[in-house]
Amino acid sequence: MRVDWSPLRRELALWRGQGLTLPLWWRDDDAVARTPSLDQLARMARKCDLPVHLAVIPARLEPSLIDYISVGSPFLPVVHGWAHHNTAPAGLKKAEFGHEREGAAQELAQALMTLHTAFATTLVRAFVAPWNRLHASYMPTLAALGYEVVSTFSPRNAPYAAPGLRIVNTHIDPIDWRGTRGLRDPEQIIAATLRHLVDRREGRIDNDEPFGYLTHHLVHTPDIWTFSEAFVGELLAGGAQPSPLITPPEEKI
C-alpha cells in the first residue's frame, strides 16, 4: 500500500510555523476480551508511544480482559454503553442510548460500577456511546452518576454536554463501513483529515478538543493496521501531542 503523506505533512508544517499544537487521542471500540487483535493493538500503541482509550462493553466483559489491562499497559479503559445492544425503535438507526427508554439510567449506573470494579486504578470515567449515538436527555444523568467525559463522533459544538461532563469526540475512522468494511481510500482519509485540520487552524472548530482517531481492533484488515500505524506516526512526527481525556481518577465510588 502506497500512501502520499505530503499533503498532511505540509499542513502540519503550517501548524508548526504558526506555533500551533494539535492535541491527539486514540479511541478503540468494542473490547470485551483479550484477543490476538488486542495484542496487536497493544504492540502498535507501544510502538507509537500513544495510549489507547479502550472502549469496553461492560455487560460482555470477560476475565481475560480484566487480567490483561493493568497499570503500565498502553490501554485506558472507558465505558462503552452497557451491552452494546440495539434498542432503537423499528426504522431508526442503531443505538443503545439513542432515545429515551425505561431502565436506561440504571444501565448507565451499572456500566460505570462494573468497570470501576474491574479497572479501579486505570478506568477513565468516559462514556462512549455505541454506534456514536446518544440522546441529549442522558447528559445530566451521566454527569450525576459520575461520568466526566462523553464521546461520540464529529467535532463538538460546545466543550460541555452538562455541567462537569466534557465532550471529547472522535473525528477520523479509517474503516469503509458502508462498502468493503476494509480500509477506506487513504486519499479520502487524508483529505478528510486536512479539511478538519484547516478548520481548526482557521478557527472554525474547537482546537481545544483533542483530535480523535477511532479504530475497531476486532475487525481490522492488514491494510487498516498498516495505515493506522503510519497515520498516527505521521501526526506525532508532525507535532501532534498526546492528550489524555482526564487523569485516571482515585477511588470515588
Side-chain angles (χ1 to χ4, degrees), residues 79-161:
V79 181
H80 194 22
W82 166 238
H84 208 302
H85 287 164
N86 178 28
T87 65
L92 297 183
K93 291 182 178 180
K94 289 181 178 180
E96 187 173 27
F97 295 94
H99 63 287
E100 296 180 276
R101 59 181 175 83
E102 186 177 354
Q106 290 81 1
E107 291 177 1
L108 294 172
Q110 190 172 3
L112 182 58
M113 181 64 74
T114 297
L115 292 198
H116 177 269
T117 300
F119 308 114
T121 61
T122 54
L123 179 67
V124 176
R125 290 170 172 254
F127 183 79
V128 171
W131 294 283
N132 289 305
R133 299 187 180 104
L134 182 60
H135 197 277
S137 65
Y138 293 121
M139 302 305 185
T141 301
L142 288 166
L145 289 171
Y147 290 94
E148 299 177 43
V149 173
V150 64
S151 182
T152 58
F153 191 86
S154 74
R156 67 188 184 187
N157 295 318
Y160 289 88

Side-chain angles (χ1 to χ4, degrees), residues 199-218:
D199 282 345
R200 283 177 177 249
R201 179 167 54 82
E202 296 181 351
R204 286 184 290 274
I205 57 178
D206 181 6
N207 191 47
D208 288 336
E209 178 185 23
F211 175 64
Y213 188 55
L214 173 60
T215 56
H216 291 74
H217 66 280
L218 290 173

Side-chain angles (χ1 to χ4, degrees), residues 177-191:
W177 292 106
R178 298 181 181 180
T180 65
R181 298 181 73 85
L183 180 68
R184 287 176 58 196
D185 183 340
E187 290 188 4
Q188 293 180 3
I189 300 173
I190 293 171

